[in-house]
Amino acid sequence: MEVSTREAERIFVKLEVNPRHSTHHVAGVVVVDGVGHLPVHYSHGRKGLHGRAAQSFRKSLRLEPKEFAVLKRCKMSRDEYFDIVRGRLAS
């Protein structure tokens, strides 16, 4: 799996990630129902995420590989994502 920096940026914008100060990474927290649940980050630069880093990014968003692929292609709305995450946080 590979995630380009541009795809990671789009995901941050789409999910309206609340930014957090970090010198080495673009970091933030996904807020679900008013509570910051999911800390996510990716490195500055243009190399993107490969291998284990891409898997960690996906896991931090609490998505299965197929779901993450849909989010990456911009086919999943913010509300659809939150519905998935609410179900996983509840169990």
Side-chain angles (χ1 to χ4, degrees), residues 11-64:
I11 290 170
F12 263 54
V13 170
K14 176 176 266 194
L15 300 181
E16 298 177 11
V17 175
N18 285 355
R20 206 174 53 185
H21 177 71
S22 177
T23 56
H24 293 78
H25 297 94
V26 176
V29 177
V30 178
V31 177
V32 180
D33 298 328
V35 180
H37 285 288
L38 310 171
V40 293
H41 72 276
Y42 62 92
S43 294
H44 288 289
R46 292 288 162 201
K47 287 190 174 184
L49 304 168
H50 306 279
R52 189 170 282 167
Q55 292 293 338
S56 294
F57 185 73
R58 174 189 63 79
K59 287 180 180 181
S60 69
L61 292 170
R62 304 288 199 281
L63 292 174
E64 297 296 325

Side-chain angles (χ1 to χ4, degrees), residues 46-89:
R46 292 288 162 201
K47 287 190 174 184
L49 304 168
H50 306 279
R52 189 170 282 167
Q55 292 293 338
S56 294
F57 185 73
R58 174 189 63 79
K59 287 180 180 181
S60 69
L61 292 170
R62 304 288 199 281
L63 292 174
E64 297 296 325
K66 288 182 181 181
E67 295 165 339
F68 184 70
V70 172
L71 177 66
K72 215 169 80 163
R73 289 191 313 264
C74 293
K75 301 289 183 186
M76 182 185 293
S77 72
R78 184 173 186 261
D79 293 332
E80 290 170 329
Y81 170 74
F82 282 175
D83 289 342
I84 291 169
V85 171
R86 281 185 192 108
R88 297 209 172 120
L89 292 174

